Amino acid sequence: MVEAVAVASGKGGTGKTTTLALGMALAEEHDVTVVDADTGMANLLFHAGLGDADTTLHDVLLGEAPVAAATYDRFGMRVVPCGTSLAAFEAADPERLREAVATLARGTDVLLLDSPATLGSKSAVLPVVLADRTVVVLEPTIPALSDGLKVGEYAAAYGTDVAGVLFNKVRGDADAVVEKTGRYFDGPTLGQVPASEPAREARRAGEPLLAHAPDSSAARAFRSAAGRLDPKPGAAARVADRFRSAVIPDPP
Amino acid sequence: MSDPPGDGPRLPRGELLRSRVVPDPGDLLEDALDRRLTGYATVVPGDALLLDVRGRGLLTFADGVPVVAYHERTGRGGESALADLVRAPWRVELLACGASGLAEAHDVAAWRVPPGVPAERLAGVPELAERTRRLAPDCRTDPDAGDLGAVEAFLDDTERIERVKTEARAEAERRAEEWGFSDQVTE
């Protein structure tokens, strides 16, 4: 039983660090698997002498490895690097993709999908299409809000609920902005993560915030937001079917 | 500081340095900062002719640092005027002039914007905002000052936000066909 959750942010956002922070916070209560289609995130997950991932989902879809060989334990989560963009799986065998995702989904509570900070390509939008719900990550700037509103509309168009909005890099009192933003989204406000020195240090060190400064105010805000997410596990087969039909469309 | 005259800032003709369409406000702000421009920029949306949008946005600079924002269409000044400049791409003219020609506009408190706010909140480029704040005179930097006025003004414009959402929804539906998501589209 699983819920697929996409994490999508506006232009210039900090997509990968936010996805990791939310994932690690969720992993304190739930079994979390991150499907990583972002090479930037791979850098964060596989640095510090752990070496690059030898086997990826790409190898699994070529029939060269079992799913278990492409699954890595990192920071309390399971991580499945794609080895390529999600859209590149279009060329895969549909049944093999379906089976691989079903295998991943059967053993986890939350399948976390990182969405690149753009809506400009099929690869970037796929996580939102594949997810049951999307967390929209915002910063209190006009372009980030504008893009976040667009993410919300893309999600609605593709039948994906908004799990909530999460404000990141907040300085000072942003309550009025947060309250006004909430009027334009269907989901709740999950929280405000302050712009803080520990968060900047974690970025400079190339480490996930919750590993670098687990007691910082920013880390606590991520935990509180994750607590409000309340995963609602559904059937693994349904998530697998969605991957199969969205990643590999039937020929017209 | 004086009260704002009703007809907006009176600015000198200035020397035209650059006239072009830029995709993003950050481009203009960085150019003005790199030139240490004393002068002003006039801004109209790139699609103004198509949309019959009237009036220019004005942004003045002292040594590259933004000082005053004003929009002729809405008659708003200060951070609210930044929200009136949102629609990209921008058709921009960058003009240099003497500081004395800007003094009257710069004296209107209601039109002034904190130095880093255009880069931080309108362009969403915090690094450029930080560079701008470093170059601003000490008397213009107040770390405790609120700087979300432009963002709030953007969120207060319900009509424009509904337009952003409607356009995004139509774009998502159009691309669904292109990307093979037609099965996922909900009515």
Side-chain angles (χ1 to χ4, degrees), chain A residues 119 121-122 125-126 129 140-143 145 150 153-154 156-159 171 173-174 176-177 180-181 184 245-246 249, chain B residues 86 120-124 147-148 150-152 154-156 158 161 165 168-169 171-172 175-176 179-181 184-186:
Chain A
L119 290 168
S121 67
K122 180 177 177 179
V125 175
L126 257 174
V129 178
T141 74
I142 292 172
L145 289 170
K150 290 178 191 167
E153 289 307 307
Y154 269 70
Y158 301 145
R171 275 191 293 112
D173 179 359
V177 165
K180 287 176 182 182
T181 302
Y184 298 111
S245 66
Chain B
V86 164
E120 182 111 37
R121 305 299 175 196
L122 176 63
D147 65 353
L148 291 169
V151 180
E152 284 192 52
F154 170 75
L155 291 166
D156 285 336
T158 313
I161 288 193
K165 291 175 71 170
R169 184 66 170 253
E171 186 181 87
R175 285 171 154 186
W179 290 334
F181 299 156
Q184 279 72 33
V185 170
T186 56

